[in-house]
Amino acid sequence: MKMDTEADWSELTRECLINILSRLSLEDRWRGSMLVCKSWFSTFKEPSLHSVFNLGPQFDSPPESTRWWTPQFEAKIDSMLLSVVEWAQSSLTQIRLRHCSDRSLSLVAQRCPNLELLSIRSCPRVTDYSIFKIALSCPKLTELDISYCYEITHESLVLIGKNCPNLKILKRNLMNWLDPSEHQGIVPNEYLNACPQDGEDEAAAIANSMPGLEWLEIRFSKLSAKGLNSICQGCPNLEFMDLSGCANLTSRDIVNASSSLVHLKNIKKPNFYIPRSVFHTERYGHWSLYDERFQTDIFRI
C-alpha cells in the first residue's frame, strides 16, 4: 500500500534537480535521469550541466569495435554532440569524444567560442573544413587532440597555431604503420592505407606557428631529423614529447635536437623490437650499424 508521505520526485525544484544531475556520471544522465519525466528532461538541458562533454571513458574501457567505424555509429555521436551544443548555449568548454564528423564540429565552431579543449581522435570524416572553422572561432583553445584523423592536414595545424595563441597541448598521433596488424580487422583497410605521409610539413607547421607548446605527442610520425630539429627550435617551452614509433629518427637525432630544450622533463623515444634474425648482418659487416638507428640498447635478443 502506498504511503501518504511518499515523495513525488517530479515535483523537486529546478535548483534541486540541477544539483542532483550535476553529481551523476554522463552515462547516468543520458540513460536514466533524462528519461524520468518531462520536468527532469527539461532540467537536463540546463546549460551549466553541459560545459564539459566527455565520452572518453565510454571509448577507453571496452576494446575497440568495428561498429565504431561505421557511418551509423558516427551519426549517433554527431547527434549527441549537436544536442549538447544546443543545450550548452556557448558554455561548452571541453569536448572529448571519437568518431564525429564535420557535421557536428561545424556547429561547435559556430556556438562554442569559449572552447578550451577539443579531443576528437579516430574521426575519418573530420577534415580541414571544420578544423578551419574551429581555428577561426575558438581562440581560447589550449589543448587539441586530432590523433588518427587522417583527413586533417598540416594546413589546419598552421591555422590553429596562428589563431589559438594559448595552445599548450597538441596530440597528433598516427596509427602503428610499422605493424598495422594491431588495427587490422577493426579499422577499415582503406583508412589504414591513408596514413599521412607529410611528416615534414606537419613538423614545419608546428615549429612555425605553435611557439607556446608545452606537450607534444606525434607517435609514428614520419618526420625526419630536420623536422624534429625545427620543432625543438620553434617550440622552446616543450616539457614533454612523445616520439614513439618515429622510425626515421635515430637516438643521436633526438639528443641533438632536444639539447636546446631547457624545460624538457620527459621524452619518449622510438622503441622498436626487431629480432636479429630479421637482418642479414653479414651483409653489413657489423651489428653495431643498427645500434643507433633501432635503439638496440632496449632489445631483448
Side-chain angles (χ1 to χ4, degrees):
M1 191 173 87
K2 270 191 173 184
M3 296 180 62
D4 293 338
T5 57
E6 184 177 351
D8 185 350
W9 289 89
S10 65
E11 294 184 0
L12 285 172
T13 65
R14 185 178 180 85
E15 289 72 20
C16 286
L17 281 175
I18 291 174
N19 189 293
I20 292 170
L21 296 179
S22 67
R23 300 168 187 267
L24 299 179
S25 67
L26 185 90
E27 184 175 4
D28 287 337
R29 287 189 211 169
W30 281 78
R31 293 188 175 182
S33 61
M34 68 181 292
L35 306 175
V36 171
C37 60
K38 288 183 178 180
S39 63
W40 280 56
F41 180 64
S42 175
T43 306
F44 174 79
K45 295 187 286 185
E46 162 65 30
S48 64
L49 294 173
H50 300 287
S51 60
V52 174
F53 185 47
N54 183 10
L55 283 182
Q58 279 66 41
F59 286 105
D60 293 335
S61 51
E64 190 171 14
S65 169
T66 55
R67 181 176 64 90
W68 296 354
W69 292 86
T70 63
Q72 294 78 12
F73 184 78
E74 182 183 273
K76 292 181 180 180
I77 298 298
D78 273 344
S79 294
M80 291 182 70
L81 182 53
L82 288 169
S83 296
V84 169
V85 171
E86 290 284 357
W87 298 331
Q89 296 179 14
S90 80
S91 66
L92 189 58
T93 60
Q94 297 184 24
I95 297 174
R96 293 183 187 272
L97 46 72
R98 304 184 195 180
H99 300 283
C100 64
S101 76
D102 281 343
R103 173 172 165 251
S104 56
L105 279 186
S106 294
L107 187 65
V108 169
Q110 293 177 26
R111 303 285 185 84
C112 305
N114 298 310
L115 190 66
E116 298 175 2
L117 184 156
L118 179 63
S119 176
I120 48 169
R121 298 169 58 188
S122 302
C123 297
R125 274 169 284 276
V126 168
T127 71
D128 287 336
Y129 175 78
S130 61
I131 299 301
F132 282 3
K133 291 186 174 183
I134 292 288
L136 296 172
S137 305
C138 305
K140 297 182 180 180
L141 208 62
T142 61
E143 179 174 343
L144 177 66
D145 187 350
I146 50 173
S147 300
Y148 324 127
C149 296
Y150 289 174
E151 293 300 316
I152 298 175
T153 71
H154 68 280
E155 294 180 0
S156 284
L157 295 178
V158 171
L159 209 58
I160 287 286
K162 288 182 177 180
N163 292 278
C164 304
N166 297 320
L167 192 71
K168 303 296 183 185
I169 300 174
L170 175 66
K171 300 178 183 180
R172 175 50 167 171
N173 302 305
L174 306 181
M175 293 180 186
N176 185 351
W177 51 270
L178 294 169
D179 181 17
S181 60
E182 66 177 274
H183 308 296
Q184 287 173 346
I186 299 173
V187 181
N189 287 333
E190 62 271 18
Y191 194 68
L192 282 176
N193 296 332
C195 181
Q197 307 293 316
D198 56 346
E200 294 299 274
D201 290 333
E202 293 196 356
I206 294 169
N208 296 330
S209 63
M210 301 180 179
L213 274 189
E214 297 176 359
W215 183 291
L216 176 63
E217 295 181 16
I218 47 173
R219 293 195 295 270
F220 294 99
S221 170
K222 298 187 178 183
L223 84 167
S224 68
K226 178 182 177 182
L228 179 62
N229 189 62
S230 66
I231 288 176
C232 293
Q233 293 296 322
C235 307
N237 298 320
L238 280 172
E239 299 178 4
F240 174 86
M241 277 199 299
D242 189 346
L243 304 174
S244 306
C246 295
N248 295 329
L249 299 175
T250 68
S251 181
R252 183 178 299 173
D253 293 334
I254 296 171
V255 170
N256 290 341
S258 62
S259 61
S260 63
L261 297 175
V262 296
H263 302 291
L264 190 64
K265 299 175 182 177
N266 189 11
I267 182 169
K268 292 187 177 182
K269 300 180 181 180
N271 185 349
F272 306 122
Y273 174 78
I274 304 176
R276 189 182 301 221
S277 60
V278 169
F279 298 100
H280 302 290
T281 55
E282 68 280 359
R283 177 182 174 187
Y284 298 96
H286 205 284
W287 176 249
S288 63
L289 291 173
Y290 301 99
D291 285 352
E292 179 185 305
R293 189 157 196 84
F294 295 108
Q295 307 294 306
T296 56
D297 57 308
I298 49 81
F299 276 32
R300 298 293 181 268
I301 299 179

